[in-house]
Every structure is written in structure tokens, then in C-alpha cells.
Amino acid sequence: ACASLAASLQEADQDERWRWAVFCVTWVVPTLEALHVLRFPGVYSAASPVLTTEAPQDPRYEDAASFLQPVALLRLVANATFDCPLSQELLRTTPNALAILLSHCFADIQAPLQREAAVFVVRALTDGCSENQEAIKELLQSTDFQKVAEQTKTFAEDLSAEAGITATVIERGGA
């Protein structure tokens, strides 16, 4: 249902997107944060972004993610904010909303499409909105967020190794 709603928002007018943006701020963004906390229990919160690989995933995460479909929720946020300045401003001015949404922009072997959906959210939030571009730039340059990015990369590499997946980067010469 959430996926079809996200798709229908692509055709919605500014007023309809604004109403859904309010829904995203009041329900979707906190839900995504709660899922993230279940996924990384006791190690992440938007107020104090610290991520380590020492705590095991909460066993309720899989059921919650299956029911709440974080990729569909991210698509809903992207469609509600695309080409809608009021929605873009609302998400920017809501405490921790940008940090919560950005925290889903990493590769996760258990949710392979999550990163792509989160990247679309970032595009929708920043398209034609220099204020959001600057806010995200500042957030990404913050020391806390850089620590989270490095620790998330390590966590993703550890998960991949546990699953027996290896990646090799081959550099090629040329232009």
C-alpha cells in the first residue's frame, strides 16, 4: 500500500505533496529512525550519531522492516518532497530529519535497495533548494557524521564478509 501511495504522489499537486510531507515528518521519519535503532540497537540515534558493530541486531528488526517496508517509506518521502519547496523546507527545519534520512544512504546487504531509495530522497530534498544543499553539506562535514560514515562502511564490510561476499576494486588506466 505504501509503495502504491508513493507512486501516486508522483502525479500529485503541491498542496497534496505538502500534506504528505507533514505526514512524513510526523510519522515516516520517526518510523525510519526507530527501524534504524532496531537495526543498530543502542548504537545510533540522530541526536548522538555513534555507530559500532559490537551490539547485535534486535531480533524484532526483520519483522518490523518486513511490515513497515523502509524502502517504500523512503520513496514516499522522496515523492512528497520532489519539486515542492514547502515540503523541502519542512524536512530541513524538522530537528534531526536530514540526519535520519541520510543515515539510510549506505549499502546494507540486508536491504539492498535502501541506499538507492535514500539517494532519491537526498535528490528530491536538494533539487532546486540551495538551503537543503547547504544544510546537508554542513551535516556531512560534521565530525560526528564523518565518524558514522566510516563506522557504517566498516559495519557493511563486516556484514559482507560474514555473508561470504567480497569485492575487489580494479583500477583501469585511461581517461
Side-chain angles (χ1 to χ4, degrees):
C2 191
S4 63
L5 174 61
S8 71
L9 276 177
Q10 291 175 338
E11 305 299 322
D13 63 15
Q14 295 284 320
D15 289 338
E16 177 108 11
R17 288 182 188 201
W18 165 249
R19 286 191 292 278
W20 280 106
V22 171
F23 173 74
C24 289
V25 166
T26 57
W27 190 83
V28 173
V29 172
T31 299
L32 288 169
E33 181 178 26
L35 283 172
H36 210 69
V37 169
L38 285 175
R39 178 78 172 87
F40 307 106
V43 290
Y44 172 85
S45 74
S48 176
V50 177
L51 181 65
T52 67
T53 59
E54 296 170 7
Q57 174 178 298
D58 189 306
R60 298 172 293 176
Y61 171 76
E62 287 185 30
D63 288 339
S66 174
F67 178 74
L68 295 168
Q69 302 178 8
V71 172
L73 293 175
L74 288 164
R75 286 185 59 214
L76 181 62
V77 174
N79 289 341
T81 56
F82 183 75
D83 198 30
C84 184
L86 286 172
S87 298
Q88 292 170 330
E89 180 183 359
L90 178 64
L91 270 287
R92 181 183 66 255
T93 57
T94 299
N96 301 321
L98 292 179
I100 292 164
L101 295 168
L102 286 172
S103 72
H104 290 80
C105 290
F106 66 91
D108 185 347
I109 193 169
Q110 293 182 344
L113 297 177
Q114 177 177 281
R115 180 184 66 178
E116 284 71 18
V119 168
F120 279 114
V121 170
V122 173
R123 182 180 188 283
L125 286 168
T126 58
D127 190 46
C129 185
S130 60
E131 295 91 350
N132 281 358
Q133 293 170 15
E134 189 60 34
I136 288 174
K137 180 181 174 183
E138 288 175 14
L139 184 60
L140 291 175
Q141 290 174 345
S142 72
T143 305
D144 285 342
F145 219 83
Q146 287 179 5
K147 288 179 190 174
V148 169
E150 184 58 38
Q151 291 169 343
T152 300
K153 178 182 172 198
T154 302
F155 184 81
E157 289 169 351
D158 291 349
L159 274 179
S160 297
E162 286 177 24
I165 298 171
T166 58
T168 304
V169 176
I170 300 172
E171 294 191 30
R172 301 186 188 256

